[in-house]
Amino acid sequence: MSLSVIKSLDWHRVKTLGRRYAAAAPAALAALGVAMAASSTARPIGDRTAEAVARVTEGDLSARGLAALSARMDPAQLALAIRFDPNEQRPALLGLTPGWESLTLAGRPTLELGVNGLDAQKRNAAMPAAIDALRSARPFVLQTATPSDRARALRCLTQGVYYEAALESTEGQEAVAQVILNRVRDPNYPNTVCGVVFEGAERTTGCQFSFTCDGALSQAPVGWAWNRARTVAERALSGYVAIKVGTATHYHADYVHPWWSPTLAKITQIGAHIFYRWKGLAGETVSFTQTYSAHEPVIDEARFSRPRLISASAATGEAGPDDATVLAQGGMNLRTVEIDGQTRVVGVASLGGRRPATAADIAAINARLQAFEAPPIAAPAAAPPPPGVITMDVEEVGRPAN
């Protein structure tokens, strides 16, 4: 800076500004200190979590964003999130053994092909409907030879709707009726309504509809529910078509996952039932060419009202051991039986280390209870003191007075 410039400065103004800046310096330093302290304070966890969620989901909280968020969770985190999801209506396993919800004290779970319970619901939900699987079905108008044949057809179809879907919606009941009538026209099945409904009930290879061989027919139907099912059956036999299931020939409840479900084309789910059709040409409308027989078979309902349970030990005439006796010895009293053509193992097993008490155990328990409840034996009277001995009352130190 040249000497001329220095001489030209307004030193009075410079001194005034200097005094002002010196006066404001403490306030500026205090503000700087507050800012530095704020920057060093840990941010709330909620703020950091919100930023992390926003970063992962890119601000999209739709199904796409939530899927991106859950994809980063391990199984434990995902299970914990499901437990606290207010929109989750399914019960959680919470670390229990899969299949626990279907366990009964009648015996251990059967080892059949397929799965059931919550695991089945998850598998069914993960299995999408086949693309363009729906095919239209032609109306079915019942034409019988006699009024008796018509009455039998109506009763069989009503039984199918009632025992298979009594608590389903009207739409769900109509879908079940549609499956039965589709089978009537499918060359793979009988050509009568009763023949389709009771197929397999007279053989040991298994019934197509479980109510025809598990003893359900022995229970009298509920009046209002039976009338509702009958109305659905009458409409179906008069040409009504359940459009949503079309040419479906199979269905099952969503809490089971049978082995055959992946071999068919999944159409849709209505209520608790999932519906399928044959894959390929067999599931097309033109393949349902079987002509309905005008004569319905006579069904022996008294016979089919009894459950078919054939025990291997009973068939050979051998008396099985007593459950309590076997379990008292630390064993499992399991028997091989044949139910609907399938071999199963049933009986009683020790659950959680417990076993039924034997007759000897019960007698011993009763004896101990009787001894415990018996009145106490009175103590013998104290002998009188010897002559010349004076008895004195002993005061117990610390004992409260009565």
Side-chain angles (χ1 to χ4, degrees):
M1 181 178 295
S2 62
L3 182 62
S4 60
V5 173
I6 295 175
K7 291 182 178 180
S8 64
L9 287 176
D10 186 352
W11 290 103
H12 178 74
R13 181 176 178 81
V14 171
K15 292 179 181 179
T16 302
L17 291 176
R19 287 194 295 268
R20 289 180 180 177
Y21 287 146
L29 292 175
L32 179 61
V34 171
M36 293 178 64
S39 62
S40 62
T41 302
R43 299 176 57 205
I45 297 178
D47 291 348
R48 288 183 288 170
T49 303
E51 286 188 3
V53 171
R55 183 170 59 255
V56 173
T57 61
E58 298 180 353
D60 180 9
L61 292 183
S62 64
R64 174 181 170 274
L66 294 178
L69 186 63
S70 61
R72 295 169 174 256
M73 297 181 181
D74 59 33
Q77 292 173 326
L78 188 59
L80 187 62
I82 291 175
R83 284 182 62 183
F84 292 95
D85 183 357
N87 297 319
E88 180 64 34
Q89 301 298 321
R90 295 175 301 171
L93 284 175
L94 304 183
L96 296 177
T97 302
W100 67 272
E101 70 281 357
S102 60
L103 285 177
T104 66
L105 294 180
R108 63 185 181 184
T110 57
L111 301 178
E112 298 178 352
L113 294 176
V115 295
N116 54 30
L118 298 177
D119 189 30
Q121 289 181 330
K122 294 177 181 178
R123 294 194 186 187
N124 290 326
M127 179 179 175
I131 299 176
D132 194 27
L134 183 62
R135 297 291 184 274
S136 60
R138 293 190 297 266
F140 184 97
V141 180
L142 184 67
Q143 299 290 338
T144 58
T146 65
S148 298
D149 290 311
R150 182 175 185 83
R152 286 195 290 271
L154 177 59
R155 179 171 178 80
C156 288
L157 187 56
T158 303
Q159 287 174 323
V161 173
Y162 175 84
Y163 288 103
E164 292 288 306
L167 299 181
E168 290 294 307
S169 64
T170 300
E171 186 179 47
Q173 292 188 344
E174 291 169 346
V176 170
Q178 185 67 52
V179 168
I180 295 174
L181 297 183
N182 286 343
R183 288 192 174 193
V184 173
R185 292 181 292 191
D186 188 337
N188 297 292
Y189 298 97
N191 60 353
T192 62
V193 177
C194 292
V196 167
V197 172
F198 284 86
E199 183 181 9
E202 75 288 350
R203 302 191 305 267
T204 60
T205 54
C207 46
Q208 293 294 310
F209 295 90
S210 59
F211 76 90
T212 64
C213 60
D214 64 2
L217 288 172
S218 63
Q219 304 296 323
V222 180
W224 66 265
W226 177 266
N227 294 333
R228 178 168 170 256
R230 180 185 175 92
T231 300
V232 171
E234 287 176 339
R235 291 184 61 199
L237 293 175
S238 299
Y240 180 83
V241 175
I243 300 176
K244 286 190 176 181
V245 297
T247 59
T249 52
H250 295 72
Y251 68 88
H252 64 78
D254 63 354
Y255 50 81
V256 297
H257 187 77
W259 63 268
W260 49 259
S261 58
T263 68
L264 302 177
K266 180 179 178 180
I267 299 176
T268 187
Q269 178 171 350
I270 301 178
H273 288 144
I274 304 174
F275 296 85
Y276 303 80
R277 71 167 178 88
W278 296 113
K279 289 184 178 180
L281 182 60
E284 298 292 336
T285 307
V286 295
S287 298
F288 292 80
T289 58
Q290 181 168 253
T291 302
Y292 169 71
S293 172
H295 300 278
E296 289 285 342
V298 178
I299 302 300
D300 185 0
E301 293 188 18
R303 173 191 173 193
F304 299 132
S305 296
R306 297 186 297 271
R308 243 182 16 253
L309 174 60
I310 305 174
S311 174
S313 60
T316 58
E318 299 176 359
D322 176 70
D323 287 336
T325 303
V326 174
L327 294 177
Q329 300 171 356
M332 296 186 296
N333 195 17
L334 303 175
R335 296 176 292 277
T336 301
V337 299
E338 183 180 345
I339 305 176
D340 304 336
Q342 296 183 2
T343 301
R344 304 182 185 180
V345 178
V346 300
V348 180
S350 176
L351 298 178
R354 297 189 177 187
R355 62 174 176 80
T358 63
D361 292 334
I362 295 175
I365 293 172
N366 289 335
R368 289 194 297 270
L369 288 174
Q370 185 177 6
F372 177 78
E373 295 173 353
I377 300 175
V389 176
I390 300 174
T391 60
M392 300 179 61
D393 293 333
V394 179
E395 180 182 359
E396 297 183 14
V397 179
R399 180 177 181 180
N402 293 334

